[in-house]
Amino acid sequence: MNWYVVYTKPKWEKKVAEKLTQIGIECYCPLITQVKEWSDRKKKVEVPLFNSYVFVQLQDIDRNSVFQIAGVVRYLFWLGKPAIVRDEEITVIKNSLNASNIADVSVTQIQVGDRIKLEKGVFSNQNAIVQEVSKTHYILVLESLGCVLKIKYK
């Protein structure tokens, strides 16, 4: 069975993952813990690693079954076909999130168009192309996942 990427309504990732699990579809919504700060308090909250994305594992013929869940918008497409994520990539994400020593990613002297391999963090060992370099962040295109990654640095 293949892993596919389902695009959800904004802020519906956890709800969609829960409902998909209830109807028997294997899914994965990677979550990270962040500290959110309001004017009167701080709170640790779990937020999705990928905004509006949930990974689902099912047979190709069963792909339409996800649309019975409220909040599912469409599948993510790559080169005109539904994007397929390899098992190894899902495993890398799971292992990285379970690691106790997750570090921020930082790179130096990188130029637009450079091909790099990420060495630390959630996307370690992933190849990427530098799309943008600014004073506060880099924007990278992850080749194997077909997504854009924004890395902030100090």
Side-chain angles (χ1 to χ4, degrees):
M1 287 193 291
N2 292 321
W3 283 96
Y4 295 98
V5 184
V6 173
Y7 186 77
T8 68
K9 290 181 179 179
K11 310 283 187 205
W12 278 60
E13 303 89 346
K14 291 194 280 188
K15 289 179 245 176
V16 166
E18 181 181 323
K19 295 292 184 184
L20 287 168
T21 302
Q22 287 176 359
I23 65 168
I25 295 176
E26 185 173 352
C27 65
Y28 177 54
C29 180
L31 301 172
I32 56 174
T33 303
Q34 288 184 343
V35 176
K36 296 285 187 176
E37 185 172 344
W38 292 270
S39 60
D40 60 338
R41 68 188 187 284
K42 290 182 181 180
K43 185 177 179 181
K44 287 184 179 180
V45 293
E46 282 191 325
V47 296
L49 179 62
F50 304 105
N51 292 332
S52 297
Y53 291 151
V54 174
F55 300 99
V56 294
Q57 186 178 36
L58 35 75
Q59 296 288 341
D60 190 42
I61 59 172
D62 296 330
R63 282 188 324 149
N64 287 335
S65 60
V66 300
F67 294 111
Q68 58 186 303
I69 302 298
V72 172
V73 177
R74 62 181 170 81
Y75 280 99
L76 180 70
F77 279 75
W78 179 252
L79 301 175
K81 297 178 186 174
I84 295 176
V85 180
R86 296 188 319 255
D87 286 331
E88 303 85 51
E89 293 168 330
I90 296 292
T91 302
V92 165
I93 294 169
K94 286 180 179 180
N95 291 342
S96 296
L97 290 177
N98 291 334
S100 60
N101 60 349
I102 295 176
D104 290 333
V105 178
S106 66
V107 289
T108 57
Q109 299 177 0
I110 300 294
Q111 297 179 353
V112 173
D114 286 350
R115 289 184 179 274
I116 61 171
K117 186 169 189 171
L118 301 176
E119 296 177 0
K120 294 182 181 178
V122 175
F123 298 105
S124 63
N125 297 321
Q126 295 292 316
N127 293 320
I129 299 172
V130 179
Q131 190 175 44
E132 179 181 323
V133 178
S134 78
K135 292 181 181 179
T136 58
H137 67 271
Y138 294 106
I139 295 185
L140 308 174
V141 177
L142 297 178
E143 296 174 319
S144 61
L145 295 176
C147 66
V148 177
L149 175 66
K150 182 176 181 179
I151 299 175
K152 294 182 182 180
Y153 62 95
K154 298 175 183 179

